Amino acid sequence: MAQQEFDCSDIDQYLGKVIDSSPIREPLGNNDIRRWVQAMHYPNLAHFDPAYAAASRWGKLVAPQSFPIVMDDSHGTSSSCMGRIAESHLLFGGDEFWHYGPRVFGGDVISNERIPYDYAVKQTGFGPTCFQRGDNYYRNQNGELIAKQRSTAIRYRAAAGGDTVNTAEFDEPEWTDAELAQLEERKFAWVQMLHDLGHGERWWDDVKVGDHLPERVFGPHTVASFATEWRSYLFTVWGTLDRRQIDLEALGFTKEMAGHENDPVMERINPAITDGAYYGPSRGHLFPKYARKIGMPRAYGYGASMGAWVTDYLAGWAGEWGMVVHSTANYRGPALSGDVTIQTAEVVDKMIDDEGRHLIQVKHLMQNQKGVKMCLGLAEIELPKKPG
C-alpha cells in the first residue's frame, strides 16, 4: 500500500497541548496498592504487609515506584494515541520514566497531566508504521511531581495485523511437572533476595561495573494471570474515574476493536461492555481470536505491565533506601500465554551526578524461555553511599 494512504497528519493539531484526563473519584486505598503488586508478581513486603511496612523507612505501607500509571485511564498511552489514523491498530511500544522522589501512599489522590509529544513514520514488518510518543506528568494532591512517563504507541494499518501473525505460535508450550517445579525454585530465588536485603541498604560502594543483578523469573503466563493484571488497573473497575469522553472509531480504530471501552455514557447504561476485558481494543489480550487480528498469535500481556516489571525488578534489588531515577524500556515482543518471563541486568557504569546523587547504570533485558527478547533498555538507580 502506498505510503500516502497511511495518513498521520491529524496528529499534528494535538502536539504540545494538554488533553483531557480521567481523574480518580476517591483517594487511594491500601488495598489498591496490594492488588497492584499481587498482579505484577512483585512480593515486596513493603507494599502489602503492615507489620513489615511499619518497620520500614516510611513507617507505613508504600506503593511501588511502578504504581502511578494505575491512576488514569489507558495506563499512559492516551497521550501517545491522539489524532486519527484511519483503519489502524495500536500496540504499546515502550516507556521512558523519570522518578523525582515523592512516593505514593494510601489516602493520596494522583492526577495526570497528558501532553502528546511527537511522532515519526517508519517502515516495519507491518508496512508504514507510526511511532507516536506522549508525556504523562503524575502529581499528588500537594502538586508534587512524582514521575514523568513518556510512552510510545505503535500504530499501523489494521489489515497488516492479521497478515503478519505467526501461525507457528498459535499453540502454548507445554510444561512438565518437573519443569514447573524447577521454575518455582528459580522464581523464589529472587523473592529470597528481597527477604535477605530486608530493610537494609544496598550500598553504592559495594556495586561494581560488570556485576549482574539476580535473575527474576515469573510465569508461565495465562489468560487468568493477564486478567488479574487488567483488573489491578483502577480504570478497569466500574465507576472509579470521572472518565473523559472518547471516540475510538474517530481515532481510526476498526469498529470490531473499538467498542465502548472507557465510555462514561455507556458505563451507566451497560457497564459490562465498557471495561475492555471483553469488548474493545484491549480484548485482544485475553481472546486469541482478536489477538490474531492485530498480529499476535495468542493471548498476550499488557505493555504497561512490562514497564512495571522493569521498574519493580530494579527497585526491588535497590531496596527501600535506593530508587530508580530514570529508565528506558523498549518493547520488542509480548508476554504470550504459556511463556515464562526472565529478567536480567548488568551494571555498566557508576557515577555521581550534578545533584550529588550516587548512581549506577544498568543494562536490563527481559526475554522468554526461548531467548526471544521482550524488552531491553538502560536505567539509572540511586543507591546510598556508605558514611565517611
Side-chain angles (χ1 to χ4, degrees):
M1 184 172 286
Q3 176 89 13
Q4 62 266 27
E5 295 182 33
F6 188 73
D7 183 6
C8 304
S9 61
D10 191 51
I11 297 172
D12 294 335
Q13 65 179 306
Y14 298 100
L15 298 180
K17 300 175 183 177
V18 176
I19 63 173
D20 290 340
S21 292
S22 300
I24 58 171
R25 285 173 164 155
E26 291 95 20
L28 277 175
N30 281 339
N31 283 343
D32 297 324
I33 298 171
R34 292 184 172 105
R35 184 182 300 111
W36 174 251
V37 295
Q38 181 172 343
M40 294 300 119
H41 321 279
Y42 186 32
N44 188 327
L45 290 166
H47 308 311
F48 69 91
D49 183 81
Y52 185 91
S56 73
R57 64 179 298 189
W58 301 285
K60 59 181 178 179
L61 213 68
V62 61
Q65 286 189 248
S66 63
F67 190 77
I69 61 170
V70 179
M71 307 308 303
D72 196 358
D73 69 44
S74 307
H75 42 61
T77 196
S78 284
S79 58
S80 58
C81 182
M82 292 299 297
R84 177 178 174 81
I85 302 178
E87 294 294 304
S88 62
H89 289 324
L90 178 147
L91 290 171
F92 214 162
D95 274 318
E96 184 170 9
F97 274 99
W98 294 262
H99 299 275
Y100 299 104
R103 299 300 295 260
V104 177
F105 302 93
D108 283 352
V109 176
I110 310 301
S111 63
N112 179 17
E113 182 182 48
R114 310 196 281 203
I115 305 175
Y117 183 65
D118 67 4
Y119 70 96
V121 178
K122 303 176 182 179
Q123 287 291 328
T124 72
F126 290 126
T129 303
C130 179
F131 291 82
Q132 185 176 356
R133 297 192 295 178
D135 290 339
N136 302 271
Y137 296 86
Y138 300 101
R139 295 180 173 89
N140 62 21
Q141 66 276 7
N142 301 317
E144 297 173 306
L145 183 59
I146 298 165
K148 173 184 173 182
Q149 174 195 17
R150 177 165 291 166
S151 66
T152 299
I154 301 173
R155 304 178 69 183
Y156 53 95
R157 291 186 295 110
D163 291 345
T164 58
V165 67
N166 184 0
T167 59
E169 288 284 351
F170 278 11
D171 295 328
E172 294 183 0
E174 294 186 8
W175 297 85
T176 67
D177 289 345
E179 289 171 332
L180 292 173
Q182 185 182 48
L183 274 176
E184 289 303 320
E185 291 182 8
R186 292 176 67 188
K187 289 159 68 172
F188 185 70
W190 194 79
V191 179
Q192 186 62 58
M193 181 273 297
L194 296 177
H195 294 322
D196 290 343
L197 182 60
H199 298 300
E201 296 89 351
R202 173 98 46 207
W203 297 111
W204 179 84
D205 315 64
D206 296 335
V207 179
K208 300 177 179 61
V209 172
D211 285 352
H212 290 265
L213 276 60
E215 73 166 7
R216 181 190 185 202
V217 179
F218 49 92
H221 303 287
T222 64
V223 169
S225 69
F226 294 151
T228 301
E229 288 177 34
W230 184 243
R231 290 299 177 215
S232 69
Y233 291 93
L234 293 181
F235 70 83
T236 71
V237 180
W238 301 345
T240 52
L241 306 180
D242 281 326
R243 302 189 192 276
R244 65 194 175 113
Q245 197 75 43
I246 183 171
D247 185 345
L248 292 171
E249 286 191 58
L251 291 174
F253 286 69
T254 61
K255 188 174 184 64
E256 65 178 346
M257 296 301 290
H260 293 279
E261 187 170 327
N262 284 312
D263 182 337
V265 176
M266 184 58 69
E267 184 178 58
R268 300 186 66 186
I269 300 169
N270 186 6
I273 66 173
T274 69
D275 65 24
Y278 315 112
Y279 304 95
S282 296
R283 65 178 168 178
H285 290 284
L286 303 182
F287 297 93
K289 172 184 175 180
Y290 294 101
R292 291 163 189 164
K293 290 180 181 294
I294 61 175
M296 294 295 165
R298 56 185 191 266
Y300 65 104
Y302 301 89
S305 297
M306 290 174 63
W309 299 344
V310 170
T311 303
D312 294 342
Y313 173 56
L314 302 175
W317 173 81
E320 67 183 60
W321 297 96
M323 186 179 79
V324 180
V325 299
H326 173 253
S327 64
T328 60
N330 301 307
Y331 307 146
R332 299 295 180 86
L336 295 173
S337 61
D339 283 353
V340 166
T341 293
I342 303 165
Q343 292 181 269
T344 55
E346 179 184 357
V347 179
V348 295
D349 201 2
K350 288 180 67 172
M351 65 200 80
I352 302 173
D353 71 1
D354 294 340
E355 299 177 37
R357 299 179 297 183
H358 290 75
L359 307 178
I360 64 143
Q361 185 180 64
V362 301
K363 180 172 60 176
H364 65 83
L365 173 66
M366 183 186 300
Q367 55 191 338
N368 67 15
Q369 73 280 359
K370 296 186 290 187
V372 176
K373 290 182 174 62
M374 300 163 59
C375 175
L376 49 85
L378 290 171
E380 290 77 49
I381 304 168
E382 181 180 10
L383 293 177
K385 175 78 170 64
K386 287 182 178 179

